[in-house]
Amino acid sequence: MSVAPAPPDAPARRLLVSHAQADAFAPRARSILSRTGYTIVGVEELAELPPSLAARRPDLRIVDERRLGEIPDDGESASIPIILLTGRHGVSGVDPRIVGAVPRPAGLHELFRVVQSVLEESPRSNPRVATHLSAHCRKNGREWSATVLSLSENGCLLRCVEPLSLRSEVEIEFSLPRVGAVVSPADVAYQLPPDLGLVFHSTPASVRRAVAEFVLEAAANGRPLD
């Protein structure tokens, strides 16, 4: 089964052509990326696209390593960068077209990072979205309520009435849809009066991934990336 084209209302800021089966992508990875402007279309569906989109030169190819031989290595095709979907061993050999590799099934956040680094002049390795999440903070036996105003994998912008000094440490807890409670230590890194910028640290990989996927999905649902 081939990868279905993105929904017709997807903003086609970038056209990515996939030479990979649907199961080479993690669930929701392709659809969410398409809704954030990276329209991913299976090579078999190119002819079904609107003429204005079908006539565009792809910005990037996403290619299962087992199908790399399908891609011409001369002419215009040779200049289109390739992200390879691989096994755990990663890229082997030298092919100047290959600019990155992601293990199958390709995850949302991993694809986003590599695509950003290849295509964007100012890549967002850790995108941030505006939020309004209720939070609880703890420090030295005290606990108080706060609000997370924006969120990224690395930290958040926090509004609270409790005074906190710069470089102090606090524990923050908030809930994400489908994930539940997220808890992380954080350092107070900067101020945007009256708010505080927190940087997460010693955060479990599972928590970072949950936050990263929440941010990208929120962006796909209409919230702008900061």
Side-chain angles (χ1 to χ4, degrees), residues 111-122:
L111 273 176
F112 181 84
R113 283 192 171 186
V114 177
V115 169
Q116 280 265 314
S117 68
V118 173
L119 296 181
E120 308 301 339
E121 290 185 6
S122 300

Side-chain angles (χ1 to χ4, degrees), residues 61-125:
R61 295 187 193 273
I62 301 175
V63 183
D64 191 307
E65 63 180 346
R66 298 166 292 193
R67 294 176 59 177
L68 187 59
E70 297 178 8
I71 314 300
D73 58 4
D74 57 3
E76 185 182 38
S77 273
S79 65
I80 299 173
I82 291 173
I83 293 176
L84 208 63
L85 305 185
T86 74
R88 295 179 63 183
H89 61 271
V91 176
S92 58
V94 178
D95 187 328
R97 299 172 299 173
I98 298 173
V99 294
V102 176
R104 295 183 304 268
L108 169 64
H109 197 59
E110 291 83 358
L111 273 176
F112 181 84
R113 283 192 171 186
V114 177
V115 169
Q116 280 265 314
S117 68
V118 173
L119 296 181
E120 308 301 339
E121 290 185 6
S122 300
R124 298 183 179 106
S125 60

Side-chain angles (χ1 to χ4, degrees), residues 17-176:
V17 174
S18 169
H19 299 254
Q21 299 293 96
D23 59 5
F25 297 87
R28 301 187 301 130
R30 190 200 64 86
S31 61
I32 291 177
L33 279 174
S34 291
R35 300 205 313 269
T36 57
Y38 298 108
T39 299
I40 303 176
V41 179
V43 65
E44 297 86 355
E45 283 78 34
L46 282 174
E48 303 172 18
L49 294 176
S52 60
L53 190 56
R56 283 179 52 175
R57 178 182 183 274
D59 295 285
L60 184 79
R61 295 187 193 273
I62 301 175
V63 183
D64 191 307
E65 63 180 346
R66 298 166 292 193
R67 294 176 59 177
L68 187 59
E70 297 178 8
I71 314 300
D73 58 4
D74 57 3
E76 185 182 38
S77 273
S79 65
I80 299 173
I82 291 173
I83 293 176
L84 208 63
L85 305 185
T86 74
R88 295 179 63 183
H89 61 271
V91 176
S92 58
V94 178
D95 187 328
R97 299 172 299 173
I98 298 173
V99 294
V102 176
R104 295 183 304 268
L108 169 64
H109 197 59
E110 291 83 358
L111 273 176
F112 181 84
R113 283 192 171 186
V114 177
V115 169
Q116 280 265 314
S117 68
V118 173
L119 296 181
E120 308 301 339
E121 290 185 6
S122 300
R124 298 183 179 106
S125 60
N126 292 291
R128 179 185 297 266
V129 292
T131 62
H132 193 81
L133 299 173
S134 297
H136 292 281
C137 297
R138 305 178 187 93
K139 181 177 174 63
N140 298 333
R142 295 178 290 117
E143 182 171 344
W144 63 93
S145 298
T147 303
V148 175
L149 300 180
S150 67
L151 180 65
S152 78
E153 178 188 354
N154 280 351
C156 66
L157 188 65
L158 188 74
R159 177 163 293 174
C160 66
V161 296
E162 185 77 9
L164 288 171
S165 58
L166 293 175
R167 296 185 179 175
S168 63
E169 182 177 310
V170 63
E171 183 181 79
I172 183 170
E173 178 178 349
F174 53 90
S175 293
L176 295 178

Side-chain angles (χ1 to χ4, degrees), residues 191-195:
Q191 290 178 298
L192 292 175
D195 306 317

